[in-house]
Structure formats: C-alpha cells, structure tokens
Amino acid sequence: MRQLVFTVSLIILTLALLMFSGCSRAWYHSDLKGEAADEQFKQDTADCKLNALDEYPMDKHMQSQRYEKCMQEKGWINQRDYDGYRFETKPR
C-alpha cells in the first residue's frame, strides 16, 4: 500500500511540474501575445537555430551565442537565464 501511495504521489508531482514548466518561456516579444507569439517563436527559433548551426557546425558555444543574437535581432528579449534549447553538432 505504501508503495502505491508513493508511486501515485510521484506521478502527480511529476505531472504538476511538467504543467507548470510549460507555462513560461525564456523569451518574450513585446509586440506579440498568445498564440501569435507562440507561432512566431516557433518559426523564429527554428530559423535562428538553423542559421547558428550552418554558421558554426562544430562549435556549440558559438551556436548558442549566434542563436541568442539572432533572436534579439528578431525582437525577442531573454527573460531569464534558461537553457531551453540544445544544439547538435553536424556529423563529420
């Protein structure tokens, strides 16, 4: 019985954390709200990641810097220190 209560509690806690973590984004745009911001963010982040990967295919640090600069150029403001994106290096 204890094992069941512990497992259910752990599942509920995990789901609650996932729900609350999905409510915030590291970036915001002062001109966009709601679904328009979500769609534009998806498009802009994909473009910036691709540009960063093409420009620095083997350097994750430079990719990250280029991504942030690109997002800022598109009008996005970084709200907090957040590692919400990951870069993969191209295979040799």
Side-chain angles (χ1 to χ4, degrees), residues 14-42:
T14 302
L15 290 174
L17 288 173
L18 287 174
M19 285 184 353
F20 289 120
S21 68
C23 294
S24 64
R25 181 187 304 127
W27 298 89
Y28 77 95
H29 199 293
S30 60
D31 297 334
L32 301 171
K33 302 283 185 238
E35 287 185 30
D38 292 340
E39 289 303 315
Q40 190 64 45
F41 179 78
K42 287 177 188 176

Side-chain angles (χ1 to χ4, degrees), residues 11-70:
I11 290 171
I12 290 172
L13 177 64
T14 302
L15 290 174
L17 288 173
L18 287 174
M19 285 184 353
F20 289 120
S21 68
C23 294
S24 64
R25 181 187 304 127
W27 298 89
Y28 77 95
H29 199 293
S30 60
D31 297 334
L32 301 171
K33 302 283 185 238
E35 287 185 30
D38 292 340
E39 289 303 315
Q40 190 64 45
F41 179 78
K42 287 177 188 176
Q43 181 180 349
D44 289 346
T45 197
D47 290 344
C48 288
K49 280 183 178 181
L50 184 61
N51 291 340
L53 184 62
D54 286 343
E55 199 169 325
Y56 302 102
M58 299 302 289
D59 189 342
K60 289 183 183 183
H61 178 71
M62 292 302 294
Q63 288 174 7
S64 177
Q65 288 182 349
R66 181 64 187 117
Y67 170 81
E68 289 180 14
K69 183 178 179 188
C70 178

